[in-house]
Amino acid sequence: MKIAMIGSGYVGLVSGACFADFGHEVVCVDKDPRKIEKLEQNIMPIFEPGLASLVERNVTGGRLSFSGDLKESVKDCDAVFIAVGTPSRRGDGHADLSYVHAASEEIADSITKPTVVVTKSTVPVGTGDEVELILSKKLNADQFAVVSNPEFLREGAAINDFKRPDRIVIGAETEWAKDVMSEIYRPLFLNESPILFTGRRTAELIKYAANAFLATKITFINEIADLCEKVGADVQEVSRGIGLDNRIGSKFLHAGPGYGGSCFPKDTLALLKTAQDYESPVRIVEAVVQVNDQRKRAMGRKVIQALGGEARDKKVALLGLTFKPNTDDMRDAPSIAVAQTLIDAGAQVSAYDPEGMEIAAEIMPDVTMTESSYEAATDADAVVIVTEWDAFRALDLNRLSSLMTGKVLVDLRNIYHPADVGKSGLEYTGVGRSRGPMGNL
């Protein structure tokens, strides 16, 4: 199959490279000439494990190319995927569909054969109808079909998620569109990956419902963690105890500083706005968004409390800045709110992250970026583990302790055992790991 991927960001680039690896002929299109130039030099615009080698292999094999010319790229394709950004719109929180609409307009001017137009971007219910309306103004009904094919990629594990998916959701209204999509995903179907065919609006809602449910699991266990600290329970044992129930499952039950990234914050907000527009409020998701927003600054206050209630003129080192490990994505990262809370309280903040510091430096100009965990911790009164990078799982705690002025270690990801930290002379504070009147573990 010949495929065009409109948008060469996270979703478009990963999806395009994986489709090419299946043997399809793929061109990734982007309006940014600098991005295209770098991609042609095999310089990735994002950090994703394994992506550079995957792209290089398929470019060398002649299956993957890059272009800034949408009209030329689209004209002979069997399928055109729209994988442009849908950020939260300023003012009301709705998903901004201007890029989707603009891409649809250009596609309508460029199609030369019957083509399936696929929304890969995360879009609100009814967006496929709007895309169809845009195309129908310039094309006959037999020249195109609009399909919803939401992505379920985890940053840091996107290639594996694409090639070994839990499911493939395809929202199509015509049989020939289903046939085209079945052929595109045939390599995965042969591997027995389940393909769920639905109506287009159903597929659009599946994506939002999935992300909202996962965000709810995260927020639920975070609130349980707070309760654990009050009653003298251990949230990790609670998580294991409930996660062993197959009806609940263990994933996304890890207490921490709240969710961030490119999906959960904007998708939960967009779902709320859609529900409001249709006068069918989703109260649980409303609570999730509110609790998560408050939690990030609360983690900053947790650090201040660990410092004895006063952070002025103290140095705090943050280990990990990205919203999760194995990515350089800083969008809505909890570290931003944690750092700002500490700075507002008069603290000096240093930081180290294996991949995110270049982007973080622009967002957090008052934070001093360093070259290593130990440099960040030098002369610090407290060290805070914000993101659970593997590089932070086996720190030399004795060395860390010797470099610090104070002895406070705040583990917002619960990756260390309190007893191991105590042996190095550090005072451990975790999340949801309290002994009640005996103090923090």
Side-chain angles (χ1 to χ4, degrees):
M1 306 291 282
K2 187 173 181 181
I3 297 171
M5 191 68 62
I6 311 303
S8 297
Y10 186 85
V11 173
L13 184 56
V14 172
S15 300
C18 287
F19 279 140
D21 214 42
F22 293 163
H24 299 303
E25 181 184 342
V26 181
V27 55
C28 289
V29 183
D30 203 278
K31 291 289 189 182
D32 186 346
R34 293 170 298 178
K35 182 182 289 186
I36 295 298
E37 183 180 349
K38 288 184 177 181
L39 284 169
E40 290 176 338
Q41 299 171 18
N42 204 47
I43 300 173
M44 299 299 105
I46 56 172
F47 174 77
E48 178 64 34
L51 182 58
S53 59
L54 180 69
V55 168
E56 183 178 30
R57 179 169 71 245
N58 285 283
V59 169
T60 301
R63 296 178 297 274
L64 180 63
S65 61
F66 305 99
S67 174
D69 188 340
L70 187 148
K71 189 178 184 67
E72 185 66 25
S73 300
V74 163
K75 67 178 184 179
D76 293 321
C77 285
D78 299 291
V80 178
F81 285 76
I82 299 175
V84 297
T86 54
S88 293
R89 193 166 62 191
R90 288 187 178 182
D92 61 8
H94 277 281
D96 183 351
L97 297 177
S98 58
Y99 300 115
V100 173
H101 293 160
S104 301
E105 293 277 2
E106 290 194 63
I107 292 168
D109 290 329
S110 307
I111 287 176
T112 59
K113 56 176 282 190
T115 305
V116 175
V117 179
V118 188
T119 53
K120 196 70 172 168
S121 304
T122 300
V123 294
V125 175
T127 301
D129 297 349
E130 296 177 27
V131 172
E132 185 174 74
L133 180 61
I134 291 170
L135 296 172
S136 66
K137 291 178 179 178
K138 298 180 180 179
L139 300 169
N140 296 325
D142 60 353
Q143 291 181 280
F144 72 94
V146 178
V147 167
S148 173
N149 176 216
E151 54 85 16
F152 301 99
L153 306 179
R154 296 170 299 162
E155 293 190 40
I159 294 171
N160 184 70
D161 285 349
F162 195 98
K163 292 189 172 186
R164 297 170 183 82
D166 294 327
R167 78 292 202 196
I168 301 156
V169 176
I170 297 172
E173 305 294 338
T174 64
E175 287 301 319
W176 80 269
K178 291 180 183 178
D179 291 342
V180 170
M181 296 302 292
S182 295
E183 181 62 23
I184 289 173
Y185 280 106
R186 185 169 59 86
L188 292 182
F189 184 72
L190 293 174
N191 289 337
E192 299 184 348
S193 297
I195 297 182
L196 175 64
F197 285 102
T198 73
R200 197 164 56 209
R201 286 187 165 223
T202 299
E204 291 168 341
L205 187 54
I206 284 172
K207 169 64 175 181
Y208 280 107
N211 277 357
F213 188 79
L214 294 174
T216 300
K217 288 188 75 174
I218 293 170
T219 305
F220 173 81
I221 202 62
N222 283 340
E223 291 207 301
I224 292 297
D226 292 343
L227 182 59
C228 284
E229 293 183 8
K230 300 293 186 181
V231 304
D234 188 321
V235 72
Q236 288 191 306
E237 294 177 3
V238 172
S239 296
R240 180 168 171 76
I242 64 176
L244 288 170
D245 187 327
N246 290 329
R247 296 169 300 174
I248 297 173
S250 61
K251 294 182 178 179
F252 289 82
L253 286 179
H254 303 288
Y259 61 77
S262 61
C263 293
F264 288 1
K266 75 177 182 67
D267 290 353
T268 49
L269 193 57
L271 179 60
L272 290 182
K273 298 303 179 182
T274 298
Q276 290 171 5
D277 286 347
Y278 284 89
E279 297 183 350
S280 180
V282 281
R283 303 299 187 197
I284 291 174
V285 182
E286 288 179 9
V288 166
V289 171
Q290 182 181 21
V291 170
N292 191 69
D293 286 344
Q294 294 172 353
R295 185 167 189 80
K296 296 173 185 179
R297 283 191 69 90
M299 292 299 99
R301 295 193 295 272
K302 187 180 188 72
V303 176
I304 295 171
Q305 184 180 7
L307 284 165
E310 180 58 62
R312 187 164 303 281
D313 297 327
K314 293 183 179 180
K315 179 181 176 181
V316 179
L318 303 183
L319 302 187
L321 297 172
T322 55
F323 86 96
K324 64 180 289 187
N326 296 323
T327 180
D328 59 355
D329 197 338
M330 285 294 301
R331 284 173 287 187
D332 282 299
S335 63
I336 300 171
V338 171
Q340 192 60 56
T341 302
L342 293 168
I343 292 168
D344 290 346
Q348 300 172 4
V349 180
S350 61
Y352 171 71
D353 187 280
E355 292 292 338
M357 290 194 294
E358 183 177 351
I359 298 173
E362 299 177 4
I363 301 171
M364 311 158 76
D366 295 326
V367 174
T368 302
M369 303 297 165
T370 63
E371 296 297 320
S372 71
S373 304
Y374 302 105
E375 182 183 342
T378 299
D379 298 326
D381 294 279
V383 169
V384 185
I385 299 173
V386 185
T387 311
E388 67 276 32
W389 284 90
D390 285 345
F392 305 144
R393 292 181 180 273
L395 293 169
D396 183 338
L397 296 178
N398 289 322
R399 180 184 177 190
L400 199 72
S401 179
S402 68
L403 292 170
M404 295 171 62
T405 298
K407 298 299 178 185
V408 173
L409 175 66
V410 181
D411 182 3
L412 297 183
R413 298 292 181 172
N414 290 343
I415 62 176
Y416 281 96
H417 193 281
D420 294 335
V421 175
K423 292 176 183 177
S424 66
L426 292 171
E427 301 168 8
Y428 182 87
T429 297
V431 176
R433 307 173 83 179
S434 171
R435 284 181 177 167
M438 295 178 65
N440 285 331
L441 274 178

